[in-house]
Amino acid sequence: MKKNIIIALAAALLLMPAGARAQKHQSHVIGFYNLENLFDTYHDEGKNDYEYLPDGANAWTEAKYQKKLANMAHVIAAMKADNKVWHTVLGVSEVENRHVLEDLVNEPEIAAANYQIVHYDGPDRRGVDVALLYDPRKMELVESESIPFTFEGTNVEITLTKEAQDYFRTRDILMVHGIIGGEHFAFYVMHLPSRLGGKGQDLRARGGEIAYNHAMGMMAKYPGINCVFMGDMNDNPFDDSMAVWMRGKKNIDDVTETDFFNPFWSMLENGYSTLYYRGEGNIYDCILVNYNLAHAPEGTFQIQKIVKKKYYGRVFSKPFMTNQSGQYKGTPFRTFSNGAFVGGYSDHYPTYIVIKK
């Protein structure tokens, strides 16, 4: 009798539409990767990209560009090999234009992912933008927006003069609204202003404020929407841009309906890093999720523990992505070192989270 019941249940499952079966147990990888100056070999009018031309300071030839593309694709493919699935969503930064993204997604190692691109040309004077790659088989694109970095209406104490504010240019914040497994998501891809010269804390705080205010608007417009902040924040999780202005919390139990959970805060405290500066490890490449993903109702998407059944995020590093000897042993194997092309990958490790229902 018991055997007959099991057979009947199995038959009913097989008769259920594939989409309905998939809806019951879905998991998705959501990640971010700073591609470290993914430039083509051509000049973009109005952009200061001269160092990445064949006759520029980096002698950026077609061969070097092709090597860079192959390296970036190899890392993405390696993450797929570990996870057994392609990213559903992968935010990227330090990309020059749509052309380099099209070349990247068509690389042989990752072409099967069929990644689609969301990208806007931004105002950064050097010409680097953020973008989002997504799997159209898993996410339906609803809308997207390039949110400008302005100082209007800010509550951050800005140190720049009005003249300096008018001159200031940085990357826009990309918002992508999509539907995954029947649920609404808003992804915010950021590359907050640089720390060069020890500056910009107020500027990064302003970037966090812009993203947070927009996300609050999306949550009011689409009750129950899942919001995800991701990017190279040029800050650690405990810095004001995330801890104060994005309301990022270290502990998931502390997250309220107006907060975000930052799984990389506790990872940083326990020795994980995505990049190194003067020998010190940092995690600037963060992914934060709102209350709806941190404390999801039964049957809806929720962030999962994925590293040692302890951490809700992963810093993805492999030996081939890491310097194995010399002065920079143990740090990311980057494209250039001390001004010389060394054929590495990026000066940042990628990060990702997994959501499941």
Side-chain angles (χ1 to χ4, degrees):
M1 181 68 177
K2 184 176 179 181
K3 182 178 179 182
N4 291 336
I5 292 172
I6 293 172
I7 292 172
L9 287 171
L13 181 61
L14 289 172
L15 289 171
M16 187 185 300
R21 293 200 304 270
Q23 292 286 337
K24 287 186 175 295
H25 299 288
Q26 287 192 50
S27 64
H28 298 272
V29 180
I30 297 169
F32 173 78
Y33 195 13
N34 180 324
L35 303 181
E36 193 201 8
N37 295 317
L38 182 56
F39 281 79
D40 60 27
T41 60
Y42 305 98
H43 174 57
D44 282 5
E45 191 65 34
K47 300 298 183 181
N48 185 15
D49 59 0
Y50 297 103
E51 62 182 325
Y52 282 93
L53 296 176
D55 59 353
N58 291 325
W60 193 241
T61 62
E62 185 66 20
K64 290 177 181 177
Y65 173 56
Q66 292 300 325
K67 172 66 172 172
K68 176 73 173 177
L69 287 170
N71 282 355
M72 298 296 88
H74 189 56
V75 173
I76 295 169
M79 287 190 278
K80 189 266 184 180
D82 268 23
N83 293 314
K84 312 304 180 191
V85 293
W86 297 107
H87 284 74
T88 297
V89 167
L90 178 62
V92 294
S93 69
E94 292 198 17
V95 295
E96 185 184 18
N97 49 39
R98 187 178 181 90
H99 170 234
V100 301
L101 292 164
E102 290 174 346
D103 284 349
L104 174 62
V105 300
N106 286 309
E107 277 291 304
E109 267 202 282
I110 64 171
N114 190 32
Y115 284 128
Q116 302 301 297
I117 298 164
V118 183
H119 167 264
Y120 293 84
D121 283 317
D124 184 88
R125 286 192 171 87
R126 205 164 65 86
V128 290
D129 300 323
V130 297
L132 187 124
L133 310 179
Y134 70 96
D135 185 338
R137 296 163 295 193
K138 300 175 184 176
M139 187 184 92
E140 176 189 347
L141 179 65
V142 176
E143 60 182 336
S144 63
E145 180 181 352
S146 191
I147 307 168
F149 190 108
T150 70
F151 297 97
E152 296 174 11
T154 183
N155 289 311
V156 178
E157 186 175 339
I158 302 297
T159 58
L160 297 180
T161 65
K162 181 62 169 67
E163 182 181 11
Q165 290 178 31
D166 291 342
Y167 180 78
F168 182 74
R169 297 289 184 274
T170 192
R171 283 74 60 173
D172 286 353
I173 295 170
L174 175 64
M175 189 285 294
V176 178
H177 175 194
I179 296 175
I180 300 174
E183 297 185 29
H184 285 264
F185 284 78
F187 298 100
Y188 293 81
V189 189
M190 294 170 250
H191 186 184
L192 296 184
S194 173
R195 282 178 166 244
L196 192 64
K199 299 178 181 179
Q201 181 177 344
D202 56 330
L203 303 177
R204 293 186 294 280
R206 174 56 180 154
E209 181 186 37
I210 292 170
Y212 182 83
N213 288 344
H214 196 286
M216 290 301 103
M218 289 294 285
M219 284 189 259
K221 186 176 181 179
Y222 301 96
I225 193 171
N226 303 301
C227 291
V228 180
F229 295 150
M230 63 172 71
D232 176 355
M233 309 301 186
N234 271 309
D235 268 338
N236 280 308
F238 52 76
D239 287 313
D240 282 359
S241 61
M242 287 180 278
V244 175
W245 297 99
M246 296 183 202
R247 295 181 65 98
K249 301 296 184 183
K250 178 171 65 173
N251 300 311
I252 196 168
D253 292 339
D254 294 336
V255 177
T256 72
E257 291 185 2
T258 56
D259 296 323
F260 280 72
F261 170 50
N262 190 340
F264 296 94
W265 192 331
S266 59
M267 297 185 75
L268 176 66
E269 290 185 341
N270 286 290
Y272 291 86
S273 302
T274 60
L275 76 159
Y276 292 79
Y277 181 68
R278 294 181 177 175
E280 182 179 354
N282 303 276
I283 298 186
Y284 290 174
D285 307 85
C286 290
I287 303 171
L288 296 79
V289 301
N290 69 343
Y291 178 88
N292 296 332
L293 284 169
H295 300 290
E298 184 70 26
T300 64
F301 284 117
Q302 185 168 18
I303 191 170
Q304 303 293 305
K305 290 181 179 178
I306 55 174
V307 175
K308 300 179 180 179
K309 296 184 178 179
K310 178 179 181 181
Y311 299 110
Y312 289 91
R314 183 178 181 188
V315 176
F316 185 81
S317 62
K318 294 286 185 179
F320 72 85
M321 302 161 61
T322 304
N323 289 298
Q324 298 299 313
S325 61
Q327 178 184 357
Y328 302 111
K329 182 179 179 180
T331 66
F333 179 30
R334 57 188 301 172
T335 308
F336 286 86
S337 181
N338 294 321
F341 179 76
V342 293
Y345 296 79
S346 173
D347 54 347
H348 293 243
Y349 293 130
T351 52
Y352 63 78
I353 62 171
V354 172
I355 59 170
K356 183 178 180 181
K357 69 174 177 179

